[in-house]
Each structure stands twice: as C-alpha cells, then as structure tokens.
Amino acid sequence: MQRDDIKAQGLLRLLTQGLLAHAEYKTASELGDRSQYIGMSDIGKGMECMRSAVASKLGASAIPVSAAIGELAQGDLAHVLGRQIILQRGHWQEDGVQKALQAAGVKLIPQLEISVEHSGVPMKAHLDFTLVWGGDRPAVRILELKSNERIPESLYASYEAQLYGQVGLLKSYWNKPCFSVTEAGVKKATFPQAVRSIFGVDLPESPEDVDIEGWVLSISISMAKVKPFGPYQPEKSMLEACLQTAVGIWRTMEDVRSGTLELNDLDYCRGFHPLCDWCDVNKDCPKFQDVNIPSDSACGLELEELAILKESKTTIEKRIAEAEERIRQTYRSIGSQDWVSVGGHRFRVATVSGRKTLDRSLVMDTLTELIDDLTAQDALEQCEKTGKPHERLYIGKINKILKSVA
Ligand code: SF4
C-alpha cells in the first residue's frame, strides 16, 4: 500500500472509531443500559420479527466496540463506517430540527423519558421532541424524527407501533411519577410537574382535557425532502398491543438466556422484508436455508462485482440528479422560455403533463353510487389484469456478528 493510502486508511479508522465512541457515549447517557428494559424501538422490531428483536436485546450486534477498531480488516472498516454514517445521520438532523423549532418559539422538551413497569417488565420510551402548549387549549405534540434514504409512501408498521406506544404511555401515565428529562434535571415527575418545572406552564391534571397527538417527521438523507406522517392519537387497543409485545420480548429473552428456547426456535418474519438486510443475526437465520458456494467461485466473485457496480450506479444516479437540478436552476436564472445552447449541447426546461393513473378507491366510490357494493367490487375485480410472473433476483448482505449473544 502506498504511503498516502496508508494515511487515508488511518484517517478513516480514526473517523470510524470516533463515530463508534460517540454512539456508545450517546447511548449510555441518553438511553442507559438497554439490556435492562424494553424500549419502543424494540417493540416496533418485535412486532415485525421476534427473533431479531430478542437477539438484539441479548447483545447480538454487527457493530464492534470503538476500542476494537484497530483490529478490523480494511473491508470490514469500510462497512462499519458506512453503516455508522447511516445510523448517526438521524442524530445530526435532530440537532438542526431542535434548533429550528426552538427558534420558532416552541416550548420543546428534547429526549423526554417515560419509564414504567407493566406485568413486571421494565419499559422505557424516549421521545425525540415533545412540544407543549398551555392556556385555554392545552396541547401536546410528540415528534419522532426518522432519517430515510427515500421518503416512504406510507409509514412502516414498526414506526407506527413506536408512535402509538409513545402517545399511549404519555396519556396513561400522565399523572404518575414516570417522566424524566436529563437535560433539564427533571427526575421521576408527573408530566404536568415536569412541564411546570421546565417552562412554568400549567397543564390540566387530566390528559382527557389535553389535545395529544404524535407525528413522525421523515427527512430524506439528502435533506431535500421532509414529510410529516400523522396524527397518531392515544388508542387503548394499540397501547395494549405494544405492552403485550414488550412482555413477549422480555419473557422470550429470559427463556433464551435460561436455555429453554434457542434463538432459532423463535418466530421470524416471513417473505421478503427490508429489516433482514439490517438484521444483526441474518447470518444463520432459519428463514434462509442457504446452499453454500465458496466465496472465491465464479458466482461469489460475480456477486462481489455486482455489489460494487450497484454502489457505483447509486452514486452516479445521485450525481446525475444533482447535476440536473443545478442545470434547471441555471435555466430559471437565465429567464429564457426557449432552448439555451452551450458548447455542443442545448437544453430547456419544459412542463410536461403528469402521468395518468386510476385511483382505485375513487372508482369504487363512484361505482357504489351507481350500483351496490358487491357488484362494484365484482366489476372492479373483473377489470383487473395480473401481469405474467417473472423472475426477480434478490441479493442481501450477510452481517457478521462481532459481539456474541449473551
Ligand atoms: S434475518 Fe430477517 S427474518 Fe431473520 S431474524 Fe433477521 S429480520 Fe428476522
């Protein structure tokens, strides 16, 4: 390796170590020992895949500790660094959003902790932002930030579970000493006490007199798009489902620890699931009955090359989108309505008609005004066409476990 390459590697190693050390510090200071309670993200994960939720609670992790960075091979280092940047970008966005909301004059509590016990299971919810309004129309808004590669069309079930858990706990434990805010020195207060101590604002003693909602703010990694999802209101049945999942994860953890159950005895999500690529225990998951082919076989090398090509494709597509946006801006600043030529190219920005699609539910509503429900449903089904089945190649990353299950 050239001297400059060695120096560049050293810089990346230092950055990775710093990111991991920061993550360890942030987790310890804000979330405490996560093995001692069930959190809302565990519940979200547990609702999608019990095996994955229990394994990560038991300490299975593909993330090494910061002190072990010196031992990582170059390829593993690049993988860990890439993953940390993705995992931590949400925290960086959090900082900016907090400053923006505070600048707008909102009364905002960062990292409100709700700590409760249900059926002997300790549970904690950490709320990114809690916004408070007192006065004649008291209101509380919980805001959960999610950093997404692409803004989803609809919210993932695990995010929704988190939100229902948060608003549900806030309402159910409103008047119990379960609320702490480390930054403000508030410990084990009721919610109205915590708000009074931080802002000097009085809230009603009963949550029934308060307008409570939860929202998710999905921010794209390019920071160019933001989409709110909500509102999520406290619902008894949804809170109950969250609490039961928490109890299920806790009891199953105990069974796996005591050896009554094996990790591979647990239920796991079937079919294609995006969680699997990120799952720390996907290496030996029974969902994948792998036939092993040597990694230095033609197929193994081809797969490696394909992964590199796909990464380059993503980078190139992003660069194309950025360049197109810059050229569009230049066109607007020129103020022309016509073609603009530059060197061997000419360009213009024109408005084209939107794509026509059929709104299924609108068709259904229109039909049911003319005929009865069942006939309308029948008519719609008769007009549906199913495309020919086709092959699709799925490729997933196998994550190495760098910390073992306790
Ligand atoms: S690989 Fe997928 S199915 Fe298996 S435990 Fe992980 S998330 Fe669940």
Side-chain angles (χ1 to χ4, degrees), residues 55 187 209 249 314 368 391 393:
K187 253 192 155 182
D209 301 327
I249 297 172
T314 313
T368 45
E391 279 185 341
L393 176 65

Side-chain angles (χ1 to χ4, degrees), residues 20-226:
L20 287 170
H22 177 65
E24 286 158 14
Y25 165 76
K26 204 168 158 57
T27 303
S29 61
E30 287 180 5
L31 307 179
D33 182 354
R34 297 192 61 205
S35 67
Q36 300 302 308
Y37 64 88
I38 299 291
M40 292 299 111
S41 57
D42 302 321
I43 294 175
K45 199 187 262 189
M47 282 187 173
E48 307 222 37
C49 179
M50 186 53 87
R51 182 179 181 273
S52 175
V54 169
S56 56
K57 287 309 287 176
L58 288 173
S61 173
I63 302 170
V65 289
S66 55
I69 279 302
E71 301 152 21
L72 279 191
Q74 203 176 320
D76 289 341
L77 180 78
H79 176 64
V80 172
L81 175 59
R83 217 174 151 187
Q84 278 309 299
I85 300 245
I86 293 174
L87 289 172
Q88 292 198 33
R89 67 190 181 204
H91 300 310
W92 305 336
Q93 292 176 343
E94 215 172 285
D95 207 39
V97 171
Q98 179 173 341
K99 287 193 177 107
L101 290 171
Q102 282 170 333
V106 175
K107 292 187 174 58
L108 176 154
I109 305 173
Q111 288 300 317
L112 172 73
E113 179 184 286
I114 312 176
S115 179
V116 305
E117 200 174 299
H118 176 79
S119 300
V121 175
M123 263 174 245
K124 282 187 186 179
H126 293 96
L127 283 46
D128 286 345
F129 301 124
T130 309
L131 281 51
V132 181
W133 287 266
D136 294 343
R137 297 171 63 191
V140 178
R141 296 285 178 267
I142 292 171
L143 200 57
E144 179 75 14
L145 287 198
K146 295 290 177 200
S147 175
N148 298 114
E149 179 92 30
R150 271 188 217 97
I151 306 257
E153 278 298 309
S154 53
L155 210 54
Y156 303 128
S158 57
Y159 290 176
E160 292 197 319
Q162 250 177 290
L163 255 287
Y164 278 121
Q166 291 178 352
V167 284
L169 286 180
L170 174 72
K171 185 172 179 186
S172 299
Y173 291 85
W174 181 269
N175 255 326
K176 306 244 164 46
C178 304
F179 297 83
S180 303
V181 186
T182 314
E183 207 179 290
V186 173
K187 253 192 155 182
K188 297 194 174 155
T190 67
F191 187 66
Q193 280 169 354
V195 170
R196 200 173 306 123
S197 133
I198 299 171
F199 304 117
V201 167
D202 285 323
L203 285 178
E205 287 305 305
S206 166
E208 297 298 340
D209 301 327
V210 184
D211 174 17
I212 300 174
E213 284 179 3
W215 287 80
V216 169
L217 205 57
S218 168
I219 306 182
S220 68
I221 47 164
S222 62
M223 304 282 277
K225 287 192 181 127
V226 181

Side-chain angles (χ1 to χ4, degrees), residues 49 51-52 268-269 273 275-276 279-282 285-288:
C49 179
R51 182 179 181 273
S52 175
Y268 53 85
C269 57
H273 202 293
L275 187 63
C276 298
C279 174
D280 287 332
V281 285
N282 70 6
C285 178
K287 174 173 178 169
F288 306 100

Side-chain angles (χ1 to χ4, degrees), residues 297-317:
S297 64
C299 181
L301 297 173
E302 191 94 64
L303 268 172
E304 283 300 326
E305 199 192 335
L306 185 59
I308 296 168
L309 286 173
K310 281 190 159 187
E311 216 164 280
S312 318
K313 184 182 163 200
T314 313
T315 314
I316 289 172
E317 279 174 352

